[in-house]
Structures are given as C-alpha cells and as structure tokens.
Amino acid sequence: MAETWIDLLRLLDGALRLATPLILCAMAGLVSERSGVINIALEGKLLTGAFAAAAAVTLTGSVAVGLAAAVCAATMLSMVHGFACITHRGEQIISGVAINIVAAGLTVVAGNALFRQGGHTPPLAPDDRFPALTLPFAETLAAVPVLGPFWGELVSGHTLPVYLALASVPVIWWLVYRSRFGLRLRAAGELPEAVESAGVSVTVLRYRGLLIAGVLCGIAGAYLSTGHGGGFVREMSAGKGFLALAALIFGRWKPWPVLFACLLFGVLDAAAPRLHGLEVPLLGPVPVALVSVLPYGLTVILLAGFFGRAEAPGALGRPPGRTG
Amino acid sequence: MAVPALRLRNISKRFGTVQATRGVDLDVMPGTVHGIIGENGAGKSTLASIVFGLHTPDSGTIEVDGTPVDNLRPVDAISHGIGMVHQHFMLVPGFSVLENIVLGLEAGFRLGPGLARARVRLAGVCREHGLDIDPDATVDDLPVGVRQRVEILKALYRGARILILDEPTGALAPHETEQLLALLDRMRASGATVVLITHKLHEIMTVCDRVSVMRSGHLVAERDVKDTSADELATLMVGHDLPAGGEEKAAVEVRTVLEVSGLGVRDAGGVRLTDVSFTLRAGEILGLAGVSGNGQSELLEVLAGMRPVSAGSVSVGSRRIDHAHPASPAEMRSLGVSHVPEDRQRQGLVLPFDIRENAVLGRLERCGPGTLVRPAVLQARAEAMIGDFDIRPPVPDRPAAVLSGGNQQKVVVARETAESPPILLLGQPTRGVDIATIGLIHSRIIELRNRGCALLLVSADLDEIFALSDRIVTLCSGRLAGPLETRSADRSVVGMMMAGLDGGAAA
Ligand SMILES: Nc1ncnc2c1ncn2[C@@H]1O[C@H](COP(=O)(O)OP(=O)(O)OP(=O)(O)O)[C@@H](O)[C@H]1O
Ligand SMILES: [Mg+2]
C-alpha cells in the first residue's frame, strides 16, 4: 500500500516538473489571448528565455541573473510581436510564426558565437542551477504516514519556478476576473470597439497582455535550461509552447481548467516511459509514440466538438475595426 | 447669444478615396435637441465619431461649451461630458449589464468594491431618468429594445450632458421609440443637449428643435423644426423630389407556397415560439408585427433553416420540415427561400469580404464552371447590384466592413432579391436605410410580390407593415395572433395584438 502511494507521488512529482513550463506558458497565452492577441509565438518566447537564462548563468554564474535575462529576452520578443500585430495591425499568426522561426535560428547562432559548442551552452554545474527548496515541516512530517510522503515527495523539494508556476494560476485568475485590468482585458478580446468607445486604449491593454505573457514565458524558459535541465540545447523547447496552446484551448481559456489540462498533459508525459512496453490485454504493448501524441489527440477531439464547444474570445486575432 | 454646446468648424475627413465629410460647420445650442438627417453614406456617423474622438478629422476645429479641444480622444470627449450611442451596439458579449456600463469607469483596481458602488449609482441614474434595467442580466439575452436602453444608460452613467445618438430607434418598436423620444424630451428639459441622427422624419418633427441635413459629406441645409415640414426635409435630403409612393397592389392569387403548422421552438434560453401556424401565399406579402424579442428572429431563423424545429412542422412544396427532418440553410435556399436576415453584420455579410464576394455568398452555383469562380462574373454581379441599389461608394472591391450601415443593408437586399426567389423572408429590411433607399427597397418588394413571390415581412415599423402587407400577423411572447386583412385592419387593434391583448381574434 505505502509502496503504491510513494510510486503515485513520484509519478505526480514528475508530472509537476514536466507541467511547469506548460503552466507558465499557458497562463502567458491566456492573458494575451483574452486580450485578443493569438499567441502562437509562445514556443519562440520560451526558447529565447531558455537560451538567455543558460547563457547568462554560464557567463555570470548566478541563477538570479539568468532568470532576469530570460524574462528580459522573452519580454522583448513579446514587444516585437506586439509592434507587428498591435501597432501595425499585422496578421497575428504570421507574425507569431515569424517570431518562432527567428527564435529557433537566433538562439543557435548566438550560442555558436558565444560558446562555439554547436549552438549549445556549456553544461551547468549543479550549483549553477535553481536549488531545490525544502518547505517547512518536510522533515518533521516525514514520519507521518500518507501526509508525510505527500508533503515531502510531492509538495516540497521543487525549484522556485515550479512554485511560481503554481502561484501564477490564482494570480492570473484574480487579475482576469477580479480586477479592473481583467475586465478591460476580456472586453478587448470580445469587442475591442466597445473598449475604445469607453475611452480605454485597446492598444495599451493588448501590449500589457503581451508584456505579462513575456514575463511568464521568460520564467518558463529559465526553468527549462537552468532548473529542469542543466544548460541550453538547441530547440530544447521541443513543442512545449504549442502544447501549452493546446492546454489553453482544452481549458477553454479559463485559468483553473487550463491548469488541469497542463497537469493532465504532465501526467501523460511522466507516465510515458512507465507505460512503454506495458502489455495491454488484446492490444499488445503500448507504443510510446501513442502516449506522446495523446495531448494533441485530446485537443483535436475537443476542437471537433466532442466535449462541447471550445469558446474562444470573440475578437481573437482581430484588430479594432470601425466604430461608426 | 448663448455659447454653443458644440461648435464644429470646417470638419473634413477622408477614408482612402472616399471623402466622408467635407468642411462641415455645425453649431448645436445647449438645451436643445438637434437632428441630423441624410442619405446612407452621407457622413453622419463619421461626423458623430469625430465629435466623440473616435476618428481624427483631417482638418477643422471642435469647441465644446466654447472651449476649443484638439486631439480629441474618447476619454477626453467623455470628460467633456459628451456621450455617444453608436449605430451598432457596443455591448461586450458575455458581460452583464453592470459590467458593460462600468467598463472604463471602474473606480479602483479591485473590481468587487467598484462594481458594488456602481450598482448603487446605476440604480440612482435609472431612477432619475425613469429607466428600468436588471444590472445582472447578460447582455446577450436581452431583446434589442433593452440593449438600446443599456447603451443609453452607459452614456448617462458617464454623466453625459451632450448626448449623441446615432440611429437609436432603428430597431425599436413604436412604443419603445416613444419612450425614447420622451426621455430625450426630459433630458432637454433638464438642460442637456442632444444630437439625434435618424432617418425617420417624424422623429425629427416630434422632438427636435433644429435639424441639419447632410448630403455626400456636406452639410447642405439647416432649419428650425417649427419652420419646416417633413416633405421639405425629404426633398432637401435627396436633393430632388421623391417619386410618389407605392404602386397599386395587384390582385391576390391564392396559392399556398409555405405552410407553418403548430410550430414550437425551444432552446437553452427557454421557449421561443409556441404553436405558431400560418400560411404564406404566392403573390402576397404577410406582415409580421411585434415588439422585437417576441420570437420574430427565431421564426425567421427556423424558416431560413438556421434553427431546429422543436414541435410542429414547416412545409415548402412537398418537403416537410419537422423535429425529425431538419433542414439546412442550403436546403432552404434550394427550396427557393431567400432570406434578408435581421442582423446584417453577422448573418447577412462577411464583413472583411468585398462587395463582389458578398454579392454571391451562398449562391456560387452559376459563378463559373464547376467549383471554380470566375472573377468576371463576380464583378458583373457586384456592378449590377451597385447600379440597381445605388450602393455608395460604387467600388466593387471595397470590404463590406467599411460601408455605412445603410449601404451594407443594400448589399444584402440586392443579393437576396437578385434572382426573383419564389419565397422571400425579410427581417427589418429597411432598418437604418435612408428614405430614398426605403422607396427603392419597397418598390423592389412590391415588384417581387406582383411577380408571384411570397413574402414574409418582419418589421418593427408599423407604418412599413401597413404600407406593404396584404395580411398582418403579430407575435407576442412567442404566440401568433391574426392574420388580419390589412384593408380592414386598424392600427390600435394591431397594437393590442402586439401587446398580447387579443384584439385581433375577430379576423
Ligand atoms: N472606417 C472607415 N473606412 C473606410 N471608409 C469609411 C469608414 N467609415 C466610413 N467610411 C465611408 O465614409 C462614408 C460615410 O459613412 P458614414 O458611416 O458616416 O455614413 P452615414 O451617413 O452614417 O450612413 P448610414 O445612414 O448608412 O449609417 C461612407 O462612404 C463610408 O463607406
Ligand atoms: Mg451611420
């Protein structure tokens, strides 16, 4: 009994680690998409953040500087995105895709120029990565059955970005549903003309949405290369930005359901190696590929309308039009 | 002499190749209701948007209460006490009435306390102006008349002393219009200034003190209402005398082409229609009167194949549509049912598409070989429509989104009537359309009727119903009353039927 409990906790613990960049990116996507800006560029912003963090840590030896560099880099990219699709009313998807391409190329080029290791950064020493934080009572509770392992194995012992990701959900929820900013943000995503005519600038709102998105993507990037991983590897975001977008749709642009989707995808990811080769009666061994494709498959099924309709913000992708 | 509440000098605005307003000079005196009339595309909405700071004029100056304002943005306009009710609703879907009203004025970063205070204040504003509203209703569920009230409350809540209303009565039933005009009257009595843009001359004659006439971006005339007449205004607006009213109605041939029996419609929002039965006959116009929100939209949607039937049936020729045998819009179209939807922007047009593409929406069969579309055919159709209906500007490759409201409507009506359909559903066909175009659309309706088309005319405008219909039915809370023969019908009886008082049972 205790064995399975520990096993389950280890699985969930792995899931949480894997879900962390998804949660941060999905919250980033949520804020910008609720303002009406499609954020297909999450992937590129995440990747840029990861590179900036690893490069900065390699050069300075400080994770804090790495985190700051990641946040700055991802935010700058977000602002470029905004400049193209808010200020110049460019196509949001196209400018987003452009950002992804630029990020994939630039990180490698810059990495080569700085470190001459084929686009990677040198591997980081354990001391140069985010330390695991032990929460209070982890020791004291260790002896208590059930709760002890739960606290010690699952809740305690993660790095700062993991806790930031978990904290981001209620914060974003509060911002979106309980603050003036959120009311305006949602209105800008539904009917931007109404916001303009209420005397509030849609441009400023959407830029703020992208700004918050940039910060969150930066934290996710720093986690990827200096928390979860130990250094930057080319294209290390590996589709996590897109998966976050899938979670966003899966959770219907609402913070708590989106968190649930990210955790679900995390569990699938963590379980994949364990499921590998598992014999299912009648079907034979489970291919890993099937497990990795599941999140996308579920999202496609959702989009096809099997779980009810995924209601996107009404003005997603649309600059304000004529108000006359 | 008093300082004008609004003083515009030499206001010009150009959109691409279209000069929307040209050198407009306008003084609006405080404590008056000032009407602005003009044809579709004359530049009325543009002028209003400039005063509210939504468009920056290319030239010209604006003074509010004698203070020059430049670089006006909506925030500045609001702080100068200017409020605007737009031609199309500006209500955020999914938001409650209260949220829509406080948007932009939330008082504090935390929403909760701000909303609580706003609720109290809104109740006060409602009481002051004798308006009634449920602050927690979601705007999507509200009938058009109530949405219009929300729009007005938005402006009043912001403490507007200069209120600009852009065609506020387009979608309102007669008694709602009367309430609105009475409200404007009270506002004037309390010292507020109102600018009323409308196509309905009787509204000008009832409530306005002074009226300005716009034509092709110019302000061509200004009159004191007591010194003018509706006829003179109509002539000034169009620039020439209007042709005399509708032709003689042809004899009615009795052949039923569409039959509705025991129709019931229910959806997530509740019961929409209950036991509705009537027939549509070839060569006849059936007028459907009623306060909007009583099931007219749902009935049109069912007949157009856009909404499923819950009970009863609709028969067209040998096809019977009921709960078990639903029809799609494409099928209804192939059965000969054309539809001018009430909501032109969402159901009638694809706004980013140009006039050519909108001219063939849903009618791609004869636009080229096989599944291909020949651009020349599109161009020719669009040009024909532009010519027939005098769509302005006459540029086939302009997106529908930048056309003025009335011109958008012309595109939809032109498309739906182009092929002389055997059955035509008309949802508010002349809403937001100027009088010259109303004449055009009305004569097209009568021409179709005389050629044997069966028409169902849904309109909030009783005059229109009485002028065109052969028989009249009404809907109230989803129940049908009538039909009455128009010849023997009496407006007060129809009014009672609309209110659900069964005055029409006799016929
Ligand atoms: N944002 C815009 N972009 C391009 N053209 C525009 C825009 N707004 C208005 N126009 C053009 O300017 C002209 C004046 O339009 P406006 O909406 O002011 O007319 P209107 O008098 O309000 O007409 P209606 O009675 O039909 O509402 C029209 O030809 C219209 O196509
Ligand atoms: Mg207009």
Side-chain angles (χ1 to χ4, degrees):
Chain A
M1 178 59 218
E3 277 298 292
T4 20
W5 178 233
I6 299 276
D7 255 0
L8 183 67
L9 287 178
R10 293 229 167 96
L11 178 73
L12 292 179
D13 180 72
L16 185 58
R17 288 166 203 271
L18 290 165
T20 293
L22 295 184
I23 298 171
L24 287 163
C25 285
M27 291 302 134
L30 193 147
V31 178
S32 74
E33 300 218 338
R34 273 306 184 90
S35 79
V37 179
I38 300 176
N39 210 339
I40 201 141
L42 290 175
E43 179 79 7
K45 294 171 190 170
L46 174 67
L47 187 67
T48 309
F51 174 75
V57 173
T58 309
L59 297 176
T60 66
S62 151
V63 264
V65 174
L67 181 62
V71 167
C72 287
T75 306
M76 256 164 55
L77 212 55
S78 234
M79 293 299 98
V80 173
H81 191 193
F83 187 68
C85 69
I86 303 172
T87 306
H88 290 287
R89 303 165 71 93
E91 232 295 326
Q92 298 177 353
I93 298 195
I94 293 180
S95 50
V97 169
I99 289 207
N100 287 340
I101 296 174
V102 167
L106 263 189
T107 46
V108 174
V109 171
N112 251 337
L114 284 174
F115 308 108
R116 313 208 168 282
Q117 297 193 1
H120 301 187
T121 59
L124 296 176
D127 286 350
D128 288 342
R129 295 165 55 182
F130 279 102
L133 305 174
T134 311
L135 296 187
F137 310 119
E139 316 272 296
T140 7
L141 283 176
V144 184
V146 182
L147 184 63
F150 174 76
W151 190 259
E153 290 281 336
L154 181 57
V155 180
S156 175
H158 292 287
T159 54
L160 179 68
V162 178
Y163 297 114
L164 286 179
L166 289 176
S168 74
V169 181
V171 170
I172 295 292
W173 173 84
W174 190 88
L175 263 185
V176 168
Y177 291 101
R178 290 288 183 268
S179 77
R180 170 175 70 192
F181 169 70
L183 188 79
R184 295 176 176 185
L185 187 88
R186 283 181 287 139
E190 291 290 344
L191 193 67
E193 296 79 12
V195 178
E196 291 282 357
S197 115
V200 180
S201 161
V202 172
T203 305
V204 172
L205 277 171
R206 290 187 168 176
Y207 263 109
R208 287 196 191 149
L210 277 181
L211 187 80
I212 296 176
V215 171
L216 291 171
C217 284
I219 300 175
Y223 173 74
L224 220 51
S225 63
T226 63
H228 192 64
F232 178 83
V233 182
R234 57 158 66 195
E235 311 208 347
M236 78 181 300
S237 51
K240 288 199 170 56
F242 294 116
L243 197 57
L245 220 46
L248 185 61
I249 297 167
F250 202 89
R252 294 175 202 186
W253 291 268
K254 298 191 173 76
W256 296 109
V258 168
L259 171 68
F260 169 79
C262 291
L263 291 174
L264 178 71
F265 293 174
V267 168
L268 287 172
D269 204 359
R274 296 171 203 231
L275 289 175
H276 181 54
L278 193 76
E279 289 282 337
V280 178
L282 301 179
L283 291 177
V286 180
V288 189
L290 187 70
V291 181
S292 353
V293 93
L294 219 51
Y296 297 102
L298 284 175
T299 306
V300 168
I301 292 172
L302 179 82
L303 282 178
F306 287 100
F307 302 153
R309 283 185 37 172
E311 287 283 346
L316 191 55
R318 184 168 69 77
R322 70 167 290 194
T323 24
Chain B
M1 205 172 129
V3 181
L6 270 180
R7 186 189 184 93
L8 310 187
R9 284 295 172 267
N10 193 31
I11 298 286
S12 296
K13 176 75 186 175
R14 167 188 283 275
F15 293 108
T17 54
V18 180
Q19 188 72 46
T21 68
R22 311 166 199 248
V24 172
D25 293 344
L26 177 69
D27 286 337
V28 178
M29 301 314 279
T32 65
V33 177
H34 194 116
I36 298 182
I37 57 174
E39 296 179 282
N40 295 133
K44 306 179 296 296
S45 296
T46 306
L47 192 66
S49 301
I50 289 173
V51 174
F52 192 60
L54 285 162
H55 290 314
T56 320
D58 302 330
S59 72
T61 55
I62 303 175
E63 285 176 25
V64 183
D65 297 324
T67 323
V69 289
D70 26 84
N71 268 330
L72 194 69
R73 287 169 307 141
V75 234
D76 312 320
I78 293 168
S79 71
H80 280 102
I82 302 177
M84 176 150 177
V85 173
H86 297 273
Q87 186 171 0
H88 299 109
F89 290 131
M90 288 290 170
L91 298 175
V92 182
F95 278 28
S96 70
V97 168
L98 188 65
E99 288 170 329
N100 263 293
I101 288 177
V102 301
L103 185 65
L105 262 195
E106 298 86 344
F109 193 73
R110 281 174 59 212
L111 209 48
L115 282 179
R117 243 173 295 151
R119 184 183 297 273
V120 176
R121 185 153 151 227
L122 177 63
V125 175
C126 283
R127 220 173 313 115
E128 187 183 329
H129 294 279
L131 298 169
D132 181 36
I133 199 90
D134 170 11
D136 298 310
T138 307
V139 290
D140 314 42
D141 303 335
L142 297 175
V144 203
V146 183
R147 289 194 208 182
Q148 188 59 267
R149 204 180 307 154
V150 179
E151 289 285 11
I152 292 169
L153 276 170
K154 250 164 65 172
L156 296 178
Y157 184 86
R158 284 164 172 70
R161 294 172 301 100
I162 305 173
L163 185 62
I164 307 168
L165 301 130
D166 193 354
E167 299 191 28
T169 58
L172 299 188
H175 79 275
E176 290 170 326
T177 302
E178 272 167 38
Q179 287 174 0
L180 177 68
L181 297 185
L183 171 70
L184 299 186
D185 212 25
R186 286 201 300 278
M187 289 187 63
R188 165 175 47 198
S190 71
T193 309
V194 177
V195 176
L196 175 68
I197 299 174
T198 183
H199 287 297
K200 297 181 186 156
L201 298 177
H202 77 90
E203 291 171 8
I204 300 281
M205 302 308 295
T206 344
V207 76
C208 292
D209 301 297
R210 210 172 156 73
V211 54
S212 302
V213 185
M214 288 190 77
R215 202 190 309 144
S216 334
H218 291 287
L219 226 160
V220 291
E222 226 181 275
R223 295 279 185 280
D224 274 327
V225 168
K226 59 181 193 308
D227 301 334
T228 186
S229 66
D231 287 340
E232 189 200 6
L233 292 178
T235 312
L236 284 171
M237 218 167 109
V238 186
H240 54 80
D241 287 333
L242 282 174
E247 308 159 35
E248 191 48 36
K249 292 175 183 177
V252 175
E253 162 206 0
V254 184
R255 179 166 61 83
T256 299
V257 291
L258 185 148
E259 180 163 6
V260 175
S261 62
L263 179 71
V265 169
R266 232 175 302 114
D267 63 18
V271 174
R272 305 294 187 175
L273 293 173
T274 315
D275 195 20
V276 169
S277 304
F278 63 90
T279 58
L280 269 190
R281 306 178 193 154
E284 183 198 65
I285 301 172
L286 179 66
L288 172 56
V291 180
S292 64
N294 276 287
Q296 295 94 321
S297 317
E298 288 79 5
L299 181 61
L300 282 176
E301 286 175 17
V302 167
L303 297 181
M306 294 157 66
R307 193 182 256 275
V309 176
S310 318
S313 68
V314 176
S315 310
V316 187
S318 58
R319 170 77 160 98
R320 208 179 119 97
I321 296 134
D322 55 26
H323 185 66
H325 307 92
S328 67
E331 187 187 354
M332 292 313 288
R333 214 175 289 127
S334 72
L335 290 170
V337 181
S338 275
H339 179 206
V340 174
E342 286 183 304
D343 186 344
R344 59 186 168 226
Q345 295 204 319
R346 275 191 291 181
Q347 298 179 343
L349 296 167
V350 178
L351 288 175
F353 281 18
D354 62 28
I355 299 181
R356 285 177 305 202
E357 292 160 326
N358 273 300
V360 297
L361 276 188
R363 288 183 168 61
L364 288 166
E365 301 83 16
R366 283 181 292 282
C367 293
T371 56
L372 302 180
V373 169
R374 192 170 281 152
V377 177
L378 263 57
Q379 180 79 17
R381 287 213 195 176
E383 278 170 7
M385 281 173 33
I386 289 171
D388 273 6
F389 277 87
D390 188 21
I391 294 167
R392 295 181 206 176
V395 191
D397 60 6
R398 271 177 96 73
V402 303
L403 292 178
S404 76
N407 280 297
Q408 292 177 348
Q409 182 69 0
K410 292 187 203 173
V411 173
V412 180
V413 174
R415 178 183 70 222
E416 297 301 318
T417 59
E419 292 168 356
S420 295
I423 302 173
L424 179 59
L425 311 172
L426 296 158
Q428 317 277 7
T430 54
R431 167 170 168 191
V433 167
D434 65 51
I435 21 179
T437 314
I438 292 179
L440 204 67
I441 293 178
H442 282 182
S443 57
R444 173 62 73 101
I445 291 174
I446 289 173
E447 182 192 321
L448 282 171
R449 198 260 323 257
N450 292 347
R451 273 200 250 150
C453 175
L455 298 102
L456 176 65
L457 169 68
V458 174
S459 176
D461 180 354
L462 263 191
D463 294 332
E464 179 165 56
I465 296 270
F466 270 87
L468 296 174
S469 316
D470 298 298
R471 293 183 299 151
I472 299 176
V473 289
T474 62
L475 268 177
C476 177
S477 309
R479 290 179 184 275
L480 193 87
L484 301 178
E485 294 288 335
T486 310
R487 260 177 279 119
S488 54
D490 175 311
R491 297 178 69 98
S492 63
V493 173
V494 173
M496 267 153 68
M497 285 161 63
M498 283 167 56
L501 307 166
D502 212 343

